[in-house]
Amino acid sequence: MHPQGLLRLGAVTLALLLALLGALHSASAQELNTLRLDIRKTEVKEGNFTLYFTLLDADQLAVKEIDPGSLQLLSADNQQPLNMDQPDLKLLSDTNHPVAVMFVVANYRAFNEQTTKSRSAIAEFIGKMRPEDLAGVVHYGDTYHYTGLTYEAPRLAETVNGIKDSDDGIPRIFAAVSQALRKFEQEGGSQKIDLRYLVVVSDGYGPWVGDKTSKSRDRKIDQTSKRLQELGIIPIIIGFSPTGDPEDQGLTMLRQLAARSKGTFRGPKDGEEMFQALDGAYQEVFNSHVLNFKNSQLEPNKTHKVRLAAKVKALEVKSPPAEIAIPKPEGIDLFWWIVGGSVCLFLGLIVAIIVGFVVWQRKKKAAAPPPEPMYEAPVMGAAPMAVGMVAPAMAPQPHDDKPPAQYFGKFKAVSGSLHGRTFYIVDEQTTIGRVDGNTIVLQDPSVSSKHAGVRVRDGNRYELHDFGSTNGVFINGKRIKKQFLKDGDKVRVGDLEFVFNVE
C-alpha cells in the first residue's frame, strides 16, 4: 500500500479509537454521577415546615454531607424557587424523630440454603436502631409468623437469630406483606412515629410464578403499591435469587414493586453482599435528612405540589413532586363567635337555674326539724361503731423493691407520688412510661405512656433519652433530649423526682 494511504488509514483508525474511548468515558461518568433525591414526608405545624428526604448516590449509598445553601424548594407547577427562611438541616440519626421499620423476610430452606446470612444481617440492622425506634419482623414460607412491633431492639435481634427454617412449599410473599401492613396500621398507628419503612428480603417466589399472562402478579403489585402509599410506608426491597439468575421472575416482580411504590431495590448476589445491601438500607433510613424552614409564600388552607433541588459536587438533582398541605391559620370566624356566645349564654342560664334550685333545697332542709338519731346494728364479732363514724381507709400495700441479683443502676424516688420507691435498670435498653409493656412502669398521670428510655453503653455509660414526652425529662433541673447520666444526678420524669446511682 502507498505510504500516504497507510497514513490516512492510521488517522481514521486513531479517530475511531478516540471517539470510542470518549463515548465509554461519557457513559461511565454518567453512570457514576447518578443521584436520586426523594421527599419522603412533609409536615407544617404552626408555620414551621419540615421535609424528610433521602439522597442516594449511584451505588444507592446515602449522601450524608449536603450544604444547606445548595438546596432549593421549587414549585412543581412552574419550577420557580420558593423561600426557605431560617433553614436547618440535620441527619435523622442526629434528631429525636422516631422511625418504625417492619421486616418481611423469606424463611424457607430453598432460600436459606443459598443465603444463610440474611437473618444475621437483619439482626445486625435491628441491633443498631435507637431506643426511640420501633421494629418488627414477619418471616414466611408457606405460612407466616409475626414477632410484634417493639422498642426492645436487642431482644428482637436475638429472636431473629433464633428463627428456625420453615418447611418448603409455595411461599406466600404477598400474604406476608399484607400481614405486615395490617400490623403496621393496627399497632404503629397509635405510636408517635415520623417515618415508616417496610424492608422486604426475598426471592419474590410465589404462586403467581409460571402465570404467562402475569395478570395475577400485576394485580398484586398494584394493590400492594397502592396500600403502601395510602399508609405512607416507604419500601426498601432486597431481592436475592438462589439460582443466581438476574432475570429471574421473582426479582423482576420485586423490582416492579419497588418502582411502582416509589421505593428502592437492591440485588445482592451472595451472603456478603446481603450484609452490604442491608447496611445500605440502614444508611438510607438513618442517614436521611430532616430539613426545617419557614415560608411565607405558600397560601394557607391549601395543598401545594413542590420539588426539592440539590447540588452535590457539581451534580444537580431534583426530586419528584411531593405535596405540602398547609393548614388553615389559627383564628375564629365571626359566625363561630356568635355560635360560641349563644352556647355560653344558654349554658349560663342552665347553671343559674341549677344553682337556684340547690339553694332553695338547702333552705328548705334548714327549716325542717332534725331527724331522730338512728342506731346501726353492730357486726357480729366487731366493736360497735357510733353513728356517723367513717371507717378508716386501708393502708396501701407495700411494694417489693428488693434489688435484683444483677443490675446496671437504679433510680430512687425522692419526691412525688412514688416517693421512697426504687427502680432498677436490668437491661441494656430500658424503657420508662406509664403503661404496661415498659421496662420501668411509673403509674403517675404526669408520665407519658412511652416517656423515656435508658441505653447502657460499654457496660458503664448510661444515656437517657426523652421519647418526645409531654412533661419532659430533666437532669439536675435542665430539660434534656439525650444526655449521659452521672452517679448522683437528680432526674425528673414528669412530676416525679429521682436520684440516679450506679450502685
Side-chain angles (χ1 to χ4, degrees):
M1 183 179 289
H2 194 275
Q4 188 173 3
L6 288 173
L7 288 173
R8 288 178 179 175
L9 179 61
V12 171
T13 303
L14 180 60
L16 290 173
L17 286 173
L18 290 174
L20 179 61
L21 288 173
L24 290 173
H25 180 269
S26 176
S28 176
Q30 185 176 4
E31 181 181 353
L32 291 174
N33 293 341
T34 301
L35 294 173
R36 173 173 173 173
L37 177 61
D38 290 287
I39 298 175
R40 293 307 190 184
K41 185 181 178 182
T42 62
E43 290 180 341
V44 182
K45 294 180 179 178
E46 299 177 355
N48 296 310
F49 289 68
T50 302
L51 263 62
Y52 301 84
F53 70 90
T54 56
L55 181 60
L56 304 179
D57 63 16
D59 296 320
Q60 290 192 308
L61 298 177
V63 178
K64 296 173 62 175
E65 302 295 332
I66 302 176
D67 179 9
S70 71
L71 296 174
Q72 267 195 322
L73 187 68
L74 306 173
S75 168
D77 296 328
N78 55 25
Q79 304 301 310
Q80 293 300 311
L82 301 169
N83 290 343
M84 288 199 302
D85 299 327
Q86 304 174 31
D88 179 42
L89 181 65
K90 292 181 180 179
L91 289 173
L92 177 75
S93 57
D94 293 334
T95 71
N96 288 319
H97 293 282
V99 302
V101 183
M102 183 78 80
F103 295 86
V104 174
V105 55
N107 182 43
Y108 47 93
R109 292 190 182 93
F111 180 80
N112 290 336
E113 284 175 358
Q114 299 298 323
T115 173
T116 56
K117 296 184 178 181
S118 61
R119 283 174 298 197
S120 299
I122 291 172
E124 184 177 279
F125 184 122
I126 294 171
K128 293 187 291 186
M129 294 178 68
R130 306 168 300 173
E132 59 265 39
D133 301 322
L134 277 170
V137 176
V138 175
H139 55 97
Y140 75 94
D142 55 359
T143 60
Y144 52 81
H145 305 275
Y146 173 56
T147 65
L149 279 171
T150 178
Y151 290 100
E152 304 292 338
R155 292 183 181 178
L156 180 59
E158 290 179 8
T159 301
V160 171
N161 277 322
I163 292 174
K164 303 298 182 184
D165 291 352
S166 68
D167 294 331
D168 285 335
I170 298 179
R172 305 176 62 196
I173 178 173
F174 283 111
V177 170
S178 296
Q179 172 74 352
L181 297 184
R182 281 195 298 272
K183 294 300 183 182
F184 236 147
E185 187 175 19
Q186 293 169 2
E187 300 179 22
S190 61
Q191 306 291 339
K192 175 62 175 69
I193 298 297
D194 289 323
L195 290 171
R196 292 170 169 81
Y197 286 87
L198 179 75
V199 178
V200 178
V201 181
S202 172
D203 58 1
Y205 188 78
W208 52 265
V209 171
D211 182 354
K212 295 181 180 179
T213 65
S214 301
K215 289 183 179 179
S216 63
R217 176 187 65 190
D218 290 342
R219 184 172 61 253
K220 290 287 188 181
I221 292 173
D222 288 339
Q223 290 173 348
T224 304
S225 301
K226 182 180 179 181
R227 192 69 180 132
L228 283 165
Q229 294 183 54
E230 287 175 348
L231 296 175
I233 297 173
I234 305 159
I236 299 176
I237 312 295
I238 298 175
F240 175 82
S241 172
T243 65
D245 179 9
E247 302 302 323
D248 182 88
Q249 282 192 38
L251 295 189
T252 300
M253 183 277 296
L254 292 173
R255 288 191 188 95
Q256 291 176 350
L257 176 60
R260 295 186 198 179
S261 56
K262 301 179 181 180
T264 56
F265 177 86
R266 292 169 174 82
K269 297 180 179 61
D270 54 36
E272 290 303 321
E273 289 192 10
M274 179 67 73
F275 271 95
Q276 295 172 13
L278 275 158
D279 182 65
Y282 178 87
Q283 301 301 329
E284 180 179 341
V285 175
F286 291 99
N287 284 338
S288 61
H289 295 266
V290 182
L291 174 63
N292 293 288
F293 60 92
K294 293 181 178 295
N295 177 280
S296 57
Q297 288 178 282
L298 296 175
E299 184 181 344
N301 197 26
K302 189 176 179 181
T303 298
H304 301 265
K305 288 188 176 182
V306 299
R307 301 178 72 180
L308 187 65
K311 187 175 182 180
V312 180
K313 296 181 180 179
L315 301 177
E316 296 183 0
V317 62
K318 293 180 182 178
S319 73
E323 293 186 344
I324 295 183
I326 305 179
K328 189 176 182 180
E330 295 183 358
I332 302 177
D333 294 338
L334 178 61
F335 170 78
W336 293 110
W337 277 111
I338 296 173
V339 171
S342 301
V343 171
C344 290
L345 183 63
F346 176 74
L347 292 176
L349 181 62
I350 296 297
V351 170
I353 292 173
I354 293 173
V355 170
F357 178 77
V358 171
V359 171
W360 175 73
Q361 285 287 334
R362 287 183 177 176
K363 288 181 177 179
K364 182 179 178 181
K365 289 181 179 179
E372 294 292 332
M374 297 181 66
Y375 172 76
E376 291 189 3
V379 178
M380 293 295 293
M385 181 183 296
V387 175
M389 182 179 292
V390 178
M394 295 183 65
Q397 296 297 317
H399 293 279
D400 183 11
D401 287 335
K402 292 181 180 179
Q406 292 183 343
Y407 61 93
F408 294 101
K410 61 184 179 180
F411 293 99
K412 184 171 182 179
V414 296
S415 70
S417 62
L418 302 179
H419 180 270
R421 293 201 58 194
T422 303
F423 302 86
Y424 297 90
I425 302 172
V426 297
D427 295 322
E428 291 186 347
Q429 289 198 25
T430 297
T431 60
I432 302 171
R434 189 182 69 252
V435 299
D436 292 338
N438 290 285
T439 315
I440 294 178
V441 179
L442 304 178
Q443 294 181 341
D444 186 276
S446 68
V447 178
S448 298
S449 58
K450 292 287 184 181
H451 198 108
V454 178
R455 172 177 279 188
V456 181
R457 298 180 181 270
D458 304 323
N460 59 359
R461 300 171 67 218
Y462 309 85
E463 192 175 30
L464 180 61
H465 295 246
D466 184 352
F467 287 174
S469 62
T470 302
N471 294 323
V473 177
F474 298 78
I475 297 180
N476 297 325
K478 180 181 177 182
R479 186 164 186 168
I480 62 99
K481 291 291 185 183
K482 183 192 300 184
Q483 183 173 317
F484 283 98
L485 289 164
K486 300 188 298 294
D487 189 68
D489 277 348
K490 290 184 177 180
V491 178
R492 180 155 61 87
V493 177
D495 295 335
L496 307 178
E497 189 169 357
F498 303 83
V499 173
F500 169 76
N501 292 112
V502 176
E503 297 180 356

